[in-house]
Amino acid sequence: MRKKHFGKVFAAAILALLMVVVTACGSGNNEGSSSSTNNGSSPSASPSTPEESPSAPLEKIKIKGIGHASWFKSGMDEVLIAAAEKTGIELEIEKIPEGMDGVNLVKARFATGDKPDLLFYYAGLGDTQGFGKMSDTFVSQEDQPWITNFDKESWKGIMTALEDGKYYGAPYGGSNTSVVLYNKKVFESLGLQVPTTMDEFWSVSEALKKGGKIPVYLSGKDAWTLQLPVQHAQATPSTAEILAKIDVNQAKFTDWTARNTGLQFLKDVTSKGLTNKDVLSDTYDNAQKALATGEAGMYIMATWVMTDIASKFPDQTADIGAFIMPYQGADADKSYIFAPNAVFVVKGKNEEAAQKFVNFFESLEAQNIFFGKDGGIPAIKGVTVTSLTPAELEAKAFLDACRASGDGFSMKYDINAAFPAYLQDIIIGGKTPEQVLEAQQKDYEKAAKAKDDSNFK
Amino acid sequence: MIKKMYYSYWLLLPGLLIFSVFFIYPNLTGFLYAFTNMDESFKYTRFVGFDNFKSLFQEDDQVIAFKNTFIFAIITTVFKIVLGLLLALLANAKLRTTLFFRSMLFFPVLLSTLAVSLVFSALLHPSRGLLNVFLETLHLDMLAQSWLTDPQIVIFSVSFVEIWKWTGLSMILFLAALQTIPQELKESAMVEGVNSWQMFRHITIPLIMPIVNTNVILSVIGGLKVFDIVYALTGGGPGNSSQVINTIVFKNFAAGRNGEATAANVMLFLIVLVIVLLVNKVLNRKVEG
């Protein structure tokens, strides 16, 4: 009798425990929204707090950030030291792999609730890109003091969230642009001129090959780097038009001719044998060395690589120049402009300290420290110290001459996680450019249907 | 009459609670989510029937993952068992170097997968890697391959690294089994005039059969569930040539397609369950026979 009674009590206890577990896990999902009342406009978020009372001892606060390893160079190292001294905030940065490996990792972290205090990520995030609703996840930067020193209008649509048009990310680093970086000494020694049409480009490449140089270096082991030739081809106003149509299911990826041009280039340059021998084993690091030492003639990349080259090969930095890939020729081509990356304050128990760090980072003092060491064109107004290399200055001249386009080209759904693998597929002959575009269309439809998008029913 | 004293069932409660939170609950919800289009926001989650499962078999890149998982599991299981047994026989021999030999063969098991992957990425580099340089030095250029970047052979290269890393574990298990065989049995067999092969075939193998069973099961499960070595060595590439089921799970999860990722995980669970039950049944029959 007693045994029977015990069995019932025991079963009831287990059931109750399971219910507690289920309820506890369920309520965890609401954590983000409940903390959303404490938004970025909290008074303690002001950067001036520590400076206002210099005699008061600074409270030491440790916060955590996460971002691609290559984004943190000597400029940021010095800013971290200054921030600890001036604000008492010690930021510990977790450096994650480049490209989609890092993106996958950070999205998986957010999906499982393992969030940092600061997210260093690409600007212009939206609600449908894997981080949840922007206003639930991140602190809005609209009312923060640093934003008065920032040209909000210029970066609207590029660095703002698609859904509410607000700035959730503060600029991290400078803006960059895609170019063909070339070794001027190699070009001079072989008597070559910068190509202005695709015919000239192929001729120059053949001449480089004949001269014992690698014409076009592709660092396919770091698959994200393969995106650059394609993005460069997309730097045309037609891209914005086609993307707007793809978003509402009135056009397909296969209609995106500019992307097709870039994909076709990757296929052609590989099949013509105008690249390094081991494209899929060679890395971003290998490419920098090959370009700087003159082993390679050209490398299609964004200007951010020049910071690395300048630190590793200071004596060769001036040998490198930049030109725009002549996909269309006749000066019709543009370089693809990349907005500054962004730093997002994640809502949570450390959001005040994280915001304080961001406000310090965006101050002129910190920006001058940062750009005194690292490259890129500052987005914060009034930065007086920069360290642009000759190649970056040449690239900047294209921007000044309005020969740049891009990065306003955001799409409603982020399907780029699979893109680098597709580009590797083109290199190994596993997919044609058309098949890649078809695969991307499928990915996009799947993403849209998952969000119950009425245009994709 | 002696009264038997039992511990109270209530003592099970803390353990059961932890087991429920970290195992039973996630697993049960996993089955449920596999039939939804759940994304990272949980906002649009609705029941989609078998769509996620269909999708797994409609896309070439995902079909490749299933094929690669089976190839990987079969190759690594066969080689780990055969090589593990041979090495165990060698390590069981009475030699002056036996201890050194055992330690050396077990050493790869202790290394981190990431470290092993980095070393092998360098060793298998097509032009600068030690393996191809060595082959070229011996004028065996025709054998030099793009080990990790040729889509035709990449899954075999990854399997080779897995075999190199884990054969030591099979060896140790076999070695433990070999050392339980009574010496008297072997001696009496020798008195009867049994040769080495007959001794191996009719005495050693039957007596270590339970360990063969364990080793095969462990290798099959490990092979089907592989993730780390593939992700660290190739990331599933080049392209999607070395994707396995677990890299697809990770990829879908990272793309916010949690429903599809969970469906792939459920498929993996069912595959492992069915194969392990079958293998276990076949091997147990042999043990009993």
Side-chain angles (χ1 to χ4, degrees):
Chain A
M1 182 73 190
R2 186 181 151 78
K3 237 180 181 178
K4 271 185 185 173
H5 179 67
F6 170 78
K8 279 182 188 169
V9 172
F10 188 70
I14 294 291
L15 198 63
L17 278 169
L18 276 172
M19 283 172 72
V20 168
V21 169
V22 173
T23 316
C25 295
S27 63
N29 295 335
N30 299 327
E31 229 170 66
S33 52
S34 65
S35 68
S36 65
T37 50
N38 185 12
N39 64 19
S41 58
S42 62
S44 58
S46 165
S48 56
T49 314
E51 286 84 12
E52 277 168 4
S53 52
S55 56
L58 285 171
E59 189 194 349
K60 299 265 181 217
I61 303 171
K62 284 190 180 178
I63 58 170
K64 289 187 174 178
I66 194 168
H68 290 303
S70 71
W71 291 14
F72 306 102
K73 296 167 188 161
S74 53
M76 188 57 171
D77 291 342
E78 294 199 8
V79 170
L80 291 181
I81 294 167
E85 281 171 9
K86 304 262 163 111
T87 66
I89 296 168
E90 290 173 13
L91 171 62
E92 186 191 323
I93 295 172
E94 183 183 349
K95 296 175 182 176
I96 55 170
E98 307 308 308
M100 291 308 149
D101 284 345
V103 167
N104 287 344
L105 192 130
V106 80
K107 283 189 178 178
R109 288 277 184 87
F110 271 76
T112 53
D114 182 12
K115 298 174 189 175
D117 302 312
L118 286 174
L119 169 69
F120 294 84
Y121 201 73
Y122 309 102
L125 276 183
D127 289 356
T128 55
Q129 290 173 356
F131 296 91
K133 195 166 191 275
M134 296 300 286
S135 56
D136 286 347
T137 312
F138 301 114
V139 174
S140 164
Q141 298 297 302
E142 291 287 337
D143 301 323
Q144 295 304 327
W146 67 264
I147 212 157
T148 54
N149 206 20
F150 172 76
D151 187 357
K152 279 176 77 175
E153 280 310 305
S154 292
W155 295 106
K156 202 173 179 128
I158 299 173
M159 291 186 72
T160 49
L162 188 71
E163 291 76 12
D164 60 10
K166 285 186 179 172
Y167 282 90
Y168 288 97
Y172 175 73
S175 55
N176 283 277
T177 185
S178 73
V179 277
V180 185
L181 294 163
Y182 72 106
N183 191 305
K184 290 177 182 171
K185 276 194 175 166
V186 169
F187 269 53
E188 274 168 28
S189 67
L190 296 171
L192 300 171
Q193 297 293 317
V194 167
T196 55
T197 64
M198 275 317 279
D199 286 342
E200 285 178 22
F201 180 85
W202 295 125
S203 304
V204 164
S205 299
E206 291 291 352
L208 283 164
K209 191 177 178 183
K210 215 174 269 179
K213 304 290 178 188
I214 297 165
V216 180
Y217 204 96
L218 294 180
S219 41
K221 182 163 190 199
D222 291 321
W224 66 270
T225 63
L226 297 175
Q227 295 175 105
L228 269 296
V230 184
Q231 283 170 320
H232 198 90
Q234 292 166 197
T236 151
S238 67
T239 293
E241 289 163 27
I242 193 79
L243 290 189
K245 287 182 182 171
I246 290 174
D247 268 352
V248 292
N249 203 16
Q250 286 174 1
K252 307 279 181 204
F253 271 74
T254 40
D255 301 324
W256 192 353
T257 48
R259 176 161 280 197
N260 198 4
T261 303
L263 297 174
Q264 192 62 45
F265 168 76
L266 271 184
K267 184 171 179 264
D268 291 344
V269 76
T270 313
S271 61
K272 285 173 194 264
L274 296 172
T275 66
N276 35 320
K277 194 174 140 217
D278 306 316
V279 167
L280 295 175
S281 299
D282 289 333
T283 63
Y284 183 54
D285 272 346
N286 298 146
Q288 293 163 29
K289 188 179 176 194
L291 182 69
T293 57
E295 186 192 342
M298 297 182 277
Y299 182 46
I300 305 175
M301 187 33 68
T303 44
W304 56 62
V305 71
M306 290 310 300
T307 305
D308 288 318
I309 290 179
S311 70
K312 292 178 200 167
F313 308 97
D315 297 336
Q316 281 85 31
T317 306
D319 299 341
I320 297 168
F323 65 87
I324 294 179
M325 184 75 185
Y327 283 117
Q328 300 173 69
D331 284 345
D333 298 280
K334 292 173 183 276
S335 68
Y336 189 98
I337 189 164
F338 293 92
N341 294 316
V343 50
F344 297 85
V345 177
V346 181
K347 286 189 171 175
K349 64 180 167 68
N350 286 333
E351 70 181 63
E352 285 182 19
Q355 184 62 60
K356 200 168 160 185
F357 178 87
V358 168
N359 290 340
F360 173 75
F361 180 78
E362 303 298 348
S363 69
L364 280 181
E365 179 189 358
Q367 290 283 296
N368 279 327
I369 295 173
F370 186 89
F371 284 102
K373 291 281 178 185
D374 289 355
I377 301 154
I380 294 290
K381 290 183 228 166
V383 178
T384 49
V385 187
T386 57
S387 54
L388 296 176
T389 59
E392 287 173 287
L393 287 170
E394 284 173 34
K396 186 174 178 290
F398 300 133
L399 304 189
D400 295 341
C402 297
R403 290 194 63 195
S405 186
D407 235 9
F409 304 155
S410 54
M411 299 190 79
K412 202 168 173 187
Y413 305 106
D414 181 9
I415 53 148
N416 276 327
F419 194 40
Y422 289 147
L423 299 177
Q424 284 189 332
D425 267 334
I426 287 186
I427 305 277
I428 59 176
K431 277 191 170 69
T432 63
E434 290 73 23
Q435 284 170 330
V436 167
L437 293 170
E438 281 162 15
Q440 287 213 286
Q441 179 65 29
K442 271 190 192 168
D443 291 344
Y444 204 72
E445 285 174 10
K446 214 185 257 187
K449 282 176 185 167
K451 305 278 191 232
D452 270 349
D453 190 320
S454 56
N455 291 309
F456 290 83
K457 292 278 182 199
Chain B
M1 188 176 160
I2 300 166
K3 194 182 171 190
K4 287 186 180 173
M5 294 291 288
Y6 293 107
Y7 285 109
S8 168
Y9 280 115
W10 289 105
L11 292 175
L12 286 171
L13 218 54
L16 269 176
L17 178 65
I18 293 170
F19 188 67
S20 305
V21 174
F22 294 108
F23 189 80
I24 295 178
Y25 175 71
N27 273 285
L28 291 180
T29 49
F31 278 99
L32 184 70
Y33 292 150
F35 295 94
T36 70
N37 68 337
M38 183 180 74
D39 71 344
E40 71 288 341
S41 69
F42 297 90
K43 198 176 159 188
Y44 309 92
T45 309
R46 62 182 162 79
F47 185 70
V48 292
F50 284 90
D51 283 4
N52 292 329
F53 293 92
K54 280 185 211 157
S55 169
L56 289 176
F57 298 102
Q58 278 170 349
E59 287 173 30
D60 292 347
D61 297 341
Q62 313 215 101
V63 174
I64 286 173
F66 282 89
K67 191 178 135 200
N68 281 340
T69 305
F70 289 121
I71 292 175
F72 184 90
I74 292 167
I75 291 177
T76 55
T77 302
V78 169
F79 277 89
K80 276 194 258 181
I81 298 302
V82 173
L83 289 176
L85 184 55
L86 290 176
L87 293 174
L89 290 170
L90 202 60
N92 198 34
K94 290 189 175 66
L95 301 169
R96 287 176 70 184
T97 52
T98 298
L99 281 178
F100 168 75
F101 191 58
R102 287 177 190 172
S103 309
M104 194 187 70
L105 291 173
F106 191 69
F107 183 66
V109 177
L110 305 176
L111 295 173
S112 111
T113 303
L114 198 62
V116 169
S117 303
L118 285 172
V119 169
F120 273 94
S121 292
L123 288 176
L124 300 178
H125 190 282
S127 54
R128 296 189 296 272
L130 202 63
L131 178 60
N132 280 0
V133 170
F134 178 68
L135 290 171
E136 280 158 20
T137 311
L138 296 178
H139 300 290
L140 294 169
D141 305 42
M142 65 287 195
L143 295 179
Q145 302 288 331
S146 298
W147 303 105
L148 295 175
T149 53
D150 182 340
Q152 306 302 324
I153 60 172
V154 62
I155 194 67
F156 300 103
S157 306
V158 178
S159 303
F160 167 77
V161 179
E162 169 83 359
I163 292 163
W164 179 86
K165 182 163 170 22
W166 289 107
T167 298
L169 185 66
S170 300
M171 179 203 75
I172 286 292
L173 291 174
F174 281 131
L175 187 60
L178 287 174
Q179 291 182 346
T180 61
I181 299 175
Q183 194 61 28
E184 301 81 24
L185 201 63
K186 290 183 187 171
E187 284 166 3
S188 57
M190 282 164 76
V191 170
E192 296 290 329
V194 167
N195 63 30
S196 301
W197 169 248
Q198 286 170 323
M199 176 102 76
F200 178 73
R201 173 73 185 83
H202 298 291
I203 294 177
T204 308
I205 288 289
L207 287 175
I208 65 165
M209 208 52 203
I211 293 297
V212 174
N213 189 348
T214 307
N215 248 337
V216 170
I217 298 282
L218 285 177
S219 298
V220 169
I221 294 175
L224 292 171
K225 285 172 64 184
V226 63
F227 173 75
D228 52 0
I229 199 102
V230 176
Y231 196 74
L233 259 181
T234 65
N240 288 296
S241 338
S242 61
Q243 297 280 11
V244 288
I245 299 177
N246 264 332
T247 56
I248 288 290
V249 170
F250 183 72
K251 198 175 122 183
N252 281 329
F253 190 53
R257 298 200 294 257
N258 296 7
E260 217 170 304
T262 322
N265 226 341
V266 167
M267 279 303 300
L268 179 61
F269 169 76
L270 294 174
I271 289 168
V272 170
L273 188 72
V274 169
I275 291 180
V276 167
L277 284 177
L278 282 175
V279 170
N280 201 29
K281 200 171 178 187
V282 171
L283 290 174
N284 272 341
R285 203 178 293 160
K286 281 191 179 173
V287 172
E288 285 158 14

